[in-house]
Amino acid sequence: MISPVPSIPRSAHRQRPEATPYVDLTRPEWSALRDKTPLPLTAEEVEKLRGLGDVIDLDEVRDIYLPLSRLLNLYVGATDGLRGALNTFLGEQGSQSGTPFVIGVAGSVAVGKSTVARLLQALLSRWPEHPRVELVTTDGFLLPTRELEARGLMSRKGFPESYDRRALTRFVADIKAGKAEVTAPVYSHLIYDIVPDQRLVVRRPDILIVEGLNVLQPALPGKDGRTRVGLADYFDFSVYVDARTEDIERWYLNRFRKLRATAFQNPSSYFRKYTQVSEEEALDYARTTWRTINKPNLVENVAPTRGRATLVLRKGPDHKVQRLSLRKL
Ligand SMILES: Nc1ncnc2c1ncn2[C@@H]1O[C@H](COP(=O)(O)OP(=O)(O)O)[C@@H](O)[C@H]1O
Ligand SMILES: CC(C)(COP(=O)(O)O)[C@@H](O)C(=O)NCCC(=O)O
């Protein structure tokens, strides 16, 4: 008689480690790597970081962002080595040089992308191997207000369709190709629109940081159904800044409250009207914007790209990074 195949007890299924392309680290595990990081921060550099105008806890810089700048420094060197190997293989047809290392920084509105990107720019530029670090935010590629209005997209600002995605991809492709000078439009939070007649100029950086909500979105297929080259195809490394949605909403409302007391007071500010009403009325508007625009965009478009990042930084309610997931090679 054939004996039946023994069934695997349910508990064994549960214990089998889940296959994942990431190595997960707790905050203490990651911050221990700090000791292996050359270039500790000098007092002068600490002052410079403070000058960025962000509320940054310096322990957070030492524990999280300093080791991250070391990891990125290693990646830049290793990518140069790989490029050398490729050039050797391709010979005449290869000969790529002076190609900048491109880092994408993704995440929800108000999760802290700009703060992370500015910190990385400051920390990475301290390394003698790559002193020229440029930072570009994707808002420059939002369609101008008149175009958003014409397409009925004013309440979809930040959604993938509110950008000129082709121009954004071309911009990064040109920088990656080593073009001497590449320009981009400029967005102003003050006027809530693209600034006419102003361009941002990028001249052959060692590292380019591209920060924006949708930088990890795959390209839409072409009309012929073929896959197109997308922005993320040009990234050498990407960071997804992650946190609980309720925490992000709170940060969004806090930032709105702070801006109401500062930048919105400017007579040219698009949001000046919210300084003329009560704080509660102003916050009601911000809550509605969160509920109808930024949260749906996070859920539908931004969060689904998390799994494409090289590194996921998971923040706690106080903005401190609690866990990190780093893609294995
Ligand atoms: N590490 C941090 N510590 C404390 N506050 C932070 C930190 N990072 C961001 N914030 C605050 O959270 C809010 C959103 O950050 P910001 O970088 O403007 O987000 P995003 O660029 O993703 O919209 C801002 O008010 C910012 O000052
Ligand atoms: C300008 C943004 C779309 C972010 O752009 P990004 O640089 O991430 O491409 C966003 O900050 C924004 O203004 N969203 C519109 C809804 C709101 O006012 O919060």
Side-chain angles (χ1 to χ4, degrees), residues 99 115 138 163 224 244:
T99 308
T115 309
T138 58
Y163 294 86
D224 53 6
R244 288 177 64 218

Side-chain angles (χ1 to χ4, degrees), residues 5-71:
V5 177
S7 64
I8 301 167
R10 284 198 70 76
S11 58
H13 281 296
R14 257 184 256 120
Q15 278 161 16
R16 195 183 305 152
E18 206 191 312
T20 157
Y22 288 99
V23 50
D24 294 314
L25 294 137
T26 60
R27 182 187 178 91
E29 284 167 339
W30 176 271
S31 61
L33 303 171
R34 174 185 67 181
D35 300 335
K36 293 192 203 143
T37 303
L39 285 184
L41 282 171
T42 61
E44 203 180 312
E45 282 165 336
V46 166
E47 273 317 300
K48 216 166 119 196
L49 286 176
R50 283 224 171 88
L52 290 177
D54 296 310
V55 209
I56 299 162
D57 177 347
L58 283 171
D59 285 341
E60 190 68 3
V61 175
R62 288 199 187 94
D63 290 351
I64 305 294
Y65 298 101
L66 215 50
L68 177 53
S69 80
R70 172 56 172 158
L71 175 70

Side-chain angles (χ1 to χ4, degrees), residues 54-55 60 65 105-118 211-214 239-253 255 290 294 298 302-303 306 312-321:
D54 296 310
V55 209
E60 190 68 3
Y65 298 101
V105 178
S108 167
V109 164
V111 77
K113 297 180 302 302
S114 317
T115 309
V116 168
R118 280 195 291 265
E211 177 248 302
L213 289 166
N214 290 303
V239 180
Y240 184 94
V241 188
D242 196 20
R244 288 177 64 218
T245 307
E246 301 81 76
D247 290 330
I248 309 176
E249 176 177 6
R250 186 164 36 78
W251 300 336
Y252 179 73
L253 296 177
R255 183 174 65 183
W290 175 261
N294 296 324
L298 167 61
V302 183
R306 180 177 47 200
V312 179
L313 298 178
R314 173 79 182 183
K315 285 177 163 190
D318 52 1
H319 279 285
K320 294 201 169 168
V321 174

Side-chain angles (χ1 to χ4, degrees), residues 143 145-154 161-164:
L143 299 169
T145 297
R146 82 181 134 65
E147 193 57 42
L148 288 173
E149 279 170 349
R151 298 188 193 188
L153 292 176
M154 262 321 259
E161 62 272 24
S162 64
Y163 294 86
D164 182 348

